Amino acid sequence: IKMVMLQEEVASKEDERAKAMRDRAQKRTVRFMNAKNRTIGVDKAYLDLQLSEKEHARIAQEKADSREALCQAQLIRHLEETELMAREVKAKDYHDLKETLLEQMQLPKNNALGMDGPLDMEACGPSSLQRFSGEDTRYGS
């Protein structure tokens, strides 16, 4: 009887041990299959280093982008100022031209005398003495 009890006790311990092994294996499988928590073959320190390098690169890129945006804004402002100055110069030239034309319009008109009026030789140059009466028939003969 003692032997049978001993065997039953050993068998129950083996069953408990087997059940515990199965439970551990099942929990291990569940843990292994959970991709969010699994760290098999992963070097956490290296991954953290990669993340920090990526963050530093992102910050450097943001700084470069902000510098680029600042340069773009300065360039746009400079171009706008240059364009405004060019417009002002053009407007001033236009205004000066308009003033000149208005002054010239105030001057007396060229009131040349007709062919039948008296000729003032003091007011005329030597070219005024030429007379054009049509085709020169003596030319070429």
Side-chain angles (χ1 to χ4, degrees), residues 6-133:
L6 223 91
Q7 286 177 347
E8 284 178 8
E9 192 175 312
V10 168
S12 70
K13 283 184 180 180
E14 283 182 19
D15 287 341
E16 286 176 16
R17 191 169 56 95
K19 184 177 185 270
M21 283 177 55
R22 278 193 304 271
D23 288 345
R24 277 196 309 267
Q26 187 177 9
K27 286 179 184 176
R28 182 178 178 273
T29 302
V30 167
R31 197 172 57 242
F32 178 74
M33 294 307 226
N34 187 353
K36 290 184 179 178
N37 294 331
R38 145 177 93 202
T39 58
I40 296 173
V42 174
D43 185 4
K44 182 145 174 52
Y46 186 73
L47 286 176
D48 291 340
L49 178 65
Q50 281 182 334
L51 287 174
S52 67
E53 287 174 356
K54 188 174 180 181
E55 182 66 19
H56 290 304
R58 185 187 63 78
I59 291 171
Q61 183 63 37
E62 285 178 358
K63 286 181 182 177
D65 289 346
S66 67
R67 275 187 248 131
E68 179 69 23
L70 180 64
C71 289
Q72 289 288 337
Q74 288 175 346
L75 177 64
I76 289 170
R77 188 171 39 252
H78 175 71
L79 290 175
E80 287 173 348
E81 289 173 359
T82 305
E83 186 177 336
L84 181 63
M85 287 192 304
R87 284 182 187 166
E88 288 174 355
V89 167
K90 189 173 181 179
K92 184 184 178 299
D93 290 345
Y94 177 74
H95 180 71
D96 291 346
L97 178 64
K98 190 174 180 180
E99 289 293 322
T100 303
L101 289 175
L102 288 174
E103 287 174 11
Q104 289 176 358
M105 287 173 60
Q106 299 302 320
L107 295 175
K109 301 281 188 253
N110 183 3
N111 297 324
L113 296 173
M115 300 249 329
D116 56 347
L119 192 59
D120 182 15
M121 292 304 285
E122 296 293 324
C124 298
S127 64
S128 303
L129 298 175
Q130 295 176 349
R131 180 177 173 109
F132 298 102
S133 61

